[in-house]
Structures are given as C-alpha cells and as structure tokens.
Amino acid sequence: MLQNLHVKNLALIDEVEITFHEHLNILTGETGAGKSILIGSIESALGKKISKDMIRPGAKEAVIELLFWIDDPRTIREIESFDIEVEDGQVFIKRIIQERRSINKINDSTVTLKTLREVSRRLFDLHGQQEHQVLLKEKNHLVMMDHFLTKEGEKALKECHRLSGEYSKVSGKIQELSMDDQQRLREIDFLEHEIGEIEGAHLISGEDTTLEQLYKKMLHSKDIAASCYAASLLTGYEQDTAIGNQLTEGIRKIQEVSHLDPVIQGFYEQFLQVEDLLTSLHQELTDYVEEMEFDEQTFTETEQRLNLINGLKEKYGNSIEAVLEYAKTASGRLEMLKDAAAEIEVLKKQQSQIRDSYETAAKALSDGRKKIAGKLEKDITKALKDLNFLSVNFQVEITKEDRISPDGMDRVRFMISTNPGLPMRPVQDVASGGELSRIMLAMKSAAAEADRVNTLIFDEIDTGISGETANRVAQKMAFISKDHQVIAITHLPQIASMADSHYYIQKQTDQKKTSTMIKELNESESLEEISRMISGDQKTETSIENAKEMKSLANDAKLY
C-alpha cells in the first residue's frame, strides 16, 4: 500500500505531505484546488514525463516522494530482479524534476524511466480521468484481456513474443535473398571486387602506424638531418667552441688540483662521467645523421602504400582491423549469395519449424484466453449490474486470425448489450462516456480479486453519473477497498461518505502566492465537507442531516 506522499515545489504545491491508510482514502475539494496536480505527482511514479514548467516559480527543482509497503513475496522478488534491494517490505520512490533533467531513484538506487515504470506498475494501478477511453480502441481489448491470464497463459504469451520475433527475422533473410538473378549477380560482382581489393592489399595489423611514422620522418628528413648535424658539431671536438673541447679543458684544469682536496677529486670523477655521456651522445647523433639518407624510391613506395591503406580505411573502416572485419563479413555474404537457392531452402525449413512451434504456443495462449473468458464475462456482468446497469450482458468475443504477431492469433472484442432484446455489439459502438467509466470500474473490480497490485487509484471516476448510479459506484469502490487500498478523488457526496480516511484539498491565496494545502478530516469535519458537497457552500441543517444519514448508510454497507 501507499503509505506516504510528499510533494515539494510542484505547480501550486509549495510543500505537502499525506499519510494514507488502508481501505478507502477519499480526496475532495473545490475545483482548481490542486487535486489533479496531486494525482499527476503520483502518476509521475509510473514514469510520466513532467514538464519543467511545472516547477514552482522561484524553485530550482520539484521533488516527488512516495513510500510503499508491500508484503507479497513474489512482488518483492520481481522488484529485486531490477537490482533494487527491498528491506522490511518498503519501496521508496523519488523523482527530482530540474530545469534540464529529471532524476529517478528507487530505494536510493538511480534508475531509468523504464525501470521506474516496471517497478511502479507492480505497486499500484492508476485510473485517470480519460483511461476509460482505451475501451474505444479494439486493439486495447486484447491487452486488457491478457491482464487476467493465468501463469500458463502468461508463459504462452511470452513464447509467442519470442517465436514471432524469430519468425520475422528468418522471413527477413528469405526476402533479402529472394531477389532476381540480375540483382544477385550485380551484388556478387560488387562483393568480389571489394574482397579482392582488400585481400590484394595484404594488410598487416598496425602497419599504418609504422608507415605514418616513417613517412613523417622522410618528409622532414632535411630539417632533421640539419638540426642533428649542428647538434653533433656542438657536442664534438672538431670546433674550438664545441662542448667537447671545452669539457676537455675543464677536465685538465680540475685534474691539476684534484690531488689537493678529496672534494675536487669528486668533481674530477663527475667530469669524467659527463665526458663519457657526451661522447656517447655525440656518436649517436653522428650515426643518426649518416642513416638519415633516404632514396627517392623508398619515399615513393612508402607514400603509395600509405595512400592505398588510407583509401581502404575511408571505404571500409577507420582502422586496418575494421577493414579486415569488413572483408570477413562480405565474404560470408558472398558465400550466401552464391548459394542463395540452397540457403533459402534451409531458411524456409527453419521458418516452417518456427511457425509450427508458434502455432502450438498461440493455441495454448488462445486456450488460456478462452478458459478465463467465461469467468470474466460472469464477473464483469455481475459488477455492471452492481453499478446500476439494470439489464446487461457482457461478452468476450475471441476469433482466430491467420497471422503471426507477438500477441498470438486471436482477435478479442468486448461486446455488450445494455437493454433486453438488443443484440450484442462492440463496447465502443454502444457505451456513452459515463457508461464507459463504469465498465472500466467493473473491469478493475474483477481484476482486483486476482491482482497482486494492492493499491488502486481513481481520478474522478464519477464523471457523468449521479443519483442511484452514484450510490452503486460508491458501494463498488467500498467493495474493492475491502481487500485493497483505494485512493480516489471525487465530487460526489455518495462516494465521499464511504471514506475510511477523508482528505480535504484547498487552495490558499495571499498577496504574494497561491498554495495547495491538504488536511485529513476528523469525523465531524468529514460530515461538514459531505454537507458542502450536497448543497454547495451554503450549509443547512437539512444538508447536515443528509450527510449524517448518508454516512450512516455507508457504514452499514461496508463489509469490513
């Protein structure tokens, strides 16, 4: 269940914190007080993107925090499979919305939006104001139907996903090879040319680096030779000003007095060491200059080889290794094209085997859907009657289509008849907005019995209903909250009267700013709020008595 919600610097909200309880939590308040912002903040935990414009003016960031407590071992294992540690059944979700980015954390682990969505959908189910609109699209009926699958059905669905992917992959290869002969011959010629060009170069890994160093050396050989020759003269003995001659004179002077002081003797030995180093350096410079002579042919051959290698790298990859890998891949493609007919036969056999396995999985999936369809029809029909559909019949129509898709070969349509004698018709062709909302609530009610998601959140599911229908909706929400935590925003006093915990949302304005505040109401405050919802801001004795009676009837109707 959702234990705590903390929101800071989000739109009208300066900072609010709510502690929720078990069973039915009701939020009421005047229009524009910020109820939708609260639901939006909860919805953000499902990974909904929040605009930076929602950050409260003057704040650097908005913060949304939700604390859940779960006791279902399977749900805990699933969450921990995302490398998120769950201690004492607590899951803490935090979203930080900043000017340039948002940060998502679960139990102090930074996660992606995808992981956030996967974890959150295991914690709660949110029915937004427009969610019932998904019933208008037939493709959604299949997805909603699969929500009720057993473990065996879920396994078959996963297998259909896997096999349809393999089938598409093999089909793509067959299509790729099933080209006309002229096109295949053209590609064969092209590949043979590319492979021959690469193989003819006899490339050696790392050769380009070695050649580039040599080419650079030859290209600047005159400058290198001149500088090194000048340096060799300075370190030698041919010129009077050379370092070698100067050093020799220094050694002679020190040697004359070295026997007079041990310290001078140390200087003399260091001079000899320097002389050895200088002589060695002079010789290496001389040898290097003598070896700097390159003939024109060597320079031309090096330049041509580099041009060849760089040309291949421009065509096939940014390194010799990449060029050789390209040749390897091209060779495989060439062999496949040369033996296309045989390869197509092999692929078609694979395709046939995959299709056979797919049809087996699709049949198992279809059987699983048909197995739950009957119970689902009864449960939803009963729930619809509870929601004041006086004469209603709900049916799940499953027909087979000859296609391969990740969802199997079934076409699923929700059919309904709302009046005696009328034929079954697709839900989207019959139901009004208010009816769609109740149909979705009926499905939520049916799902709640088998669903491991413990928290259900409803945002104004009462839109378009009143009178006895409102009473029925209130009773159904109370029924769901018997075994689930339900959090709901409502404008109807009938639903508010069913509350186990009642929260009032109001907007406060001073000369500087407007803020949304939330307060958990005690019993007398809750009666006053229900009275306001009945008669508006003008509370009367009659509205108070009506509120008391409504609350009394609600308490009598509860099963817990």
Side-chain angles (χ1 to χ4, degrees):
M1 60 176 279
L2 176 58
Q3 290 184 305
N4 186 269
L5 170 66
H6 174 235
V7 183
K8 185 176 182 179
N9 295 330
L10 186 69
L12 290 177
I13 298 175
D14 183 10
E15 184 168 16
V16 298
E17 186 164 356
I18 316 173
T19 298
F20 291 107
H21 305 287
E22 294 181 326
H23 304 304
L24 185 56
N25 298 261
I26 293 294
L27 290 78
T28 62
E30 297 179 356
T31 302
K35 298 186 294 295
S36 60
I37 298 172
L38 275 177
I39 290 295
S41 66
I42 297 175
E43 195 175 18
S44 75
L46 284 171
K48 179 182 178 181
K49 292 184 178 180
I50 299 179
S51 170
K52 63 182 181 180
D53 296 334
M54 292 294 288
I55 300 174
R56 189 172 176 84
K60 292 183 179 180
E61 61 186 26
V63 179
I64 302 166
E65 297 174 330
L66 300 96
L67 178 62
F68 290 87
W69 180 81
I70 50 177
D71 60 356
D72 180 59
R74 182 178 168 189
T75 302
I76 292 174
R77 286 196 300 271
E78 289 179 358
I79 293 174
E80 289 184 332
S81 70
F82 294 96
D83 293 327
I84 296 169
E85 186 176 354
V86 179
E87 291 186 6
D88 301 324
Q90 290 194 330
V91 178
F92 180 67
I93 294 175
K94 183 174 184 177
R95 293 203 71 186
I96 302 172
I97 297 91
Q98 299 174 335
E99 185 76 19
R100 295 185 178 180
R101 61 170 185 159
S102 64
I103 302 169
N104 316 304
K105 289 180 175 287
I106 302 178
N107 287 0
D108 292 329
S109 296
T110 302
V111 298
T112 62
L113 268 179
K114 181 180 179 182
T115 299
L116 181 68
R117 294 185 185 112
E118 287 295 321
V119 171
S120 295
R121 72 179 183 84
R122 290 164 168 81
L123 297 173
F124 69 96
D125 180 272
L126 191 149
H127 181 102
Q129 292 185 35
Q130 302 300 321
E131 188 182 349
H132 58 270
Q133 297 293 327
V134 301
L135 287 168
L136 296 176
K137 295 183 179 179
E138 186 181 303
K139 65 179 182 179
N140 295 324
H141 296 183
L142 181 67
V143 177
M144 297 173 72
M145 171 79 174
D146 287 347
H147 186 76
F148 297 88
L149 286 172
T150 61
K151 288 183 181 179
E152 291 75 14
E154 290 177 353
K155 183 178 179 182
L157 179 59
K158 288 181 181 179
E159 187 68 357
C160 284
H161 271 268
R162 184 183 70 81
L163 289 169
S164 67
E166 289 187 10
Y167 188 88
S168 296
K169 186 177 180 181
V170 172
S171 298
K173 288 182 179 179
I174 292 174
Q175 185 177 7
E176 190 178 355
L177 289 171
S178 298
M179 57 182 74
D180 62 68
D181 289 340
Q182 287 187 348
Q183 185 179 352
R184 183 164 57 253
L185 289 173
R186 283 196 299 270
E187 187 172 351
I188 287 173
D189 287 342
F190 185 68
L191 288 171
E192 285 179 336
H193 168 74
E194 290 185 324
I195 294 167
E197 186 178 32
I198 294 171
E199 291 180 346
H202 303 291
L203 297 174
I204 301 171
S205 182
E207 178 186 9
D208 49 347
T209 301
T210 303
L211 287 173
E212 284 170 1
Q213 291 174 348
L214 177 60
Y215 180 74
K216 186 177 181 181
K217 182 178 178 180
M218 287 190 294
L219 190 64
H220 300 284
S221 60
K222 291 182 179 179
D223 294 336
I224 294 172
S227 295
C228 289
Y229 178 70
S232 70
L233 290 177
L234 288 172
T235 57
Y237 301 89
E238 290 83 359
Q239 298 179 349
D240 293 338
T241 57
I243 296 173
N245 287 328
Q246 300 294 324
L247 184 61
T248 299
E249 180 63 20
I251 291 172
R252 187 181 67 77
K253 293 290 187 184
I254 288 294
Q255 186 181 22
E256 290 177 353
V257 294
S258 61
H259 62 284
L260 300 176
D261 188 342
V263 175
I264 298 176
Q265 180 63 33
F267 292 156
Y268 174 66
E269 291 173 358
Q270 289 183 53
F271 264 110
L272 293 179
Q273 291 175 6
V274 172
E275 184 181 36
D276 288 341
L277 288 172
L278 187 65
T279 301
S280 176
L281 175 61
H282 173 74
Q283 187 59 51
E284 288 179 13
L285 283 168
T286 303
D287 294 341
Y288 183 84
V289 171
E290 290 176 354
E291 293 171 0
M292 276 299 295
E293 295 181 3
F294 300 104
D295 58 66
E296 191 65 29
Q297 182 178 353
T298 302
F299 179 80
T300 301
E301 290 175 354
T302 302
E303 186 176 43
Q304 290 175 345
R305 181 64 176 171
L306 264 180
N307 289 338
L308 173 64
I309 292 172
N310 289 334
L312 293 174
K313 284 162 67 174
E314 286 179 4
K315 287 183 180 180
Y316 307 114
N318 57 7
S319 67
I320 287 179
E321 290 75 14
V323 173
L324 294 173
E325 183 61 30
Y326 180 91
K328 182 179 177 181
T329 303
S331 296
R333 170 74 176 167
L334 178 62
E335 290 302 315
M336 187 172 65
L337 288 173
K338 285 183 175 180
D339 198 16
E343 183 68 20
I344 288 173
E345 287 302 312
V346 171
L347 290 171
K348 283 185 175 180
K349 287 181 180 179
Q350 290 181 12
Q351 187 185 48
S352 179
Q353 291 170 353
I354 293 170
R355 185 179 182 92
D356 290 343
S357 298
Y358 175 86
E359 288 179 350
T360 300
K363 184 180 183 304
L365 176 58
S366 185
D367 290 343
R369 286 170 176 153
K370 291 173 183 176
K371 185 177 180 179
I372 62 173
K375 184 178 185 305
L376 186 61
E377 289 170 347
K378 291 178 182 177
D379 291 346
I380 293 180
T381 298
K382 181 181 182 302
L384 288 171
K385 288 179 179 178
D386 292 342
L387 292 169
N388 209 30
F389 281 89
L390 299 179
S391 180
V392 67
N393 189 20
F394 182 85
Q395 187 179 88
V396 179
E397 181 186 84
I398 302 176
T399 56
K400 184 178 179 180
E401 295 185 338
D402 188 17
R403 60 185 174 85
I404 291 182
S405 80
D407 298 316
M409 305 176 86
D410 292 329
R411 178 188 179 188
V412 172
R413 288 198 303 174
F414 294 152
M415 311 289 286
I416 194 169
S417 172
T418 56
N419 291 292
L422 290 181
M424 303 294 291
R425 293 180 61 193
V427 166
Q428 62 270 29
D429 295 344
V430 177
S432 64
E435 289 173 331
L436 284 173
S437 182
R438 281 186 286 159
I439 293 170
M440 182 61 82
L441 179 57
M443 296 197 70
K444 297 282 186 183
S445 174
E449 295 184 20
D451 207 338
R452 288 178 294 109
V453 174
N454 191 55
T455 298
L456 302 176
I457 302 171
F458 296 97
D459 182 15
E460 298 187 7
I461 199 170
D462 51 28
T463 301
I465 63 174
S466 59
E468 180 57 24
T469 300
N471 289 328
R472 297 293 189 91
V473 170
Q475 291 168 11
K476 180 57 67 177
M477 293 183 73
F479 172 77
I480 295 174
S481 69
K482 175 178 176 289
D483 298 311
H484 294 73
Q485 181 193 43
V486 175
I487 300 170
I489 286 180
T490 185
H491 291 295
L492 294 179
Q494 294 95 324
I495 294 177
S497 67
M498 286 284 184
D500 296 294
S501 302
H502 191 169
Y503 303 85
Y504 181 66
I505 305 172
Q506 63 180 347
K507 184 167 60 176
Q508 293 185 342
T509 304
D510 57 26
Q511 294 181 348
K512 294 183 179 180
K513 63 181 181 179
T514 300
S515 299
T516 293
M517 306 296 292
I518 300 174
K519 178 185 179 182
E520 183 174 359
L521 305 179
N522 58 34
E523 187 173 347
S524 62
E525 290 170 334
S526 177
L527 283 172
E528 287 189 13
E529 170 62 4
I530 294 170
S531 173
R532 182 195 67 80
M533 296 172 74
I534 292 172
S535 62
D537 291 333
Q538 301 298 322
K539 289 182 291 185
T540 65
E541 289 185 9
T542 302
S543 66
I544 289 289
E545 288 302 316
N546 288 340
K548 288 179 179 179
E549 182 180 3
M550 198 174 285
K551 190 70 177 176
S552 177
L553 291 173
N555 289 334
D556 291 341
K558 289 181 182 178
L559 302 176
Y560 50 91

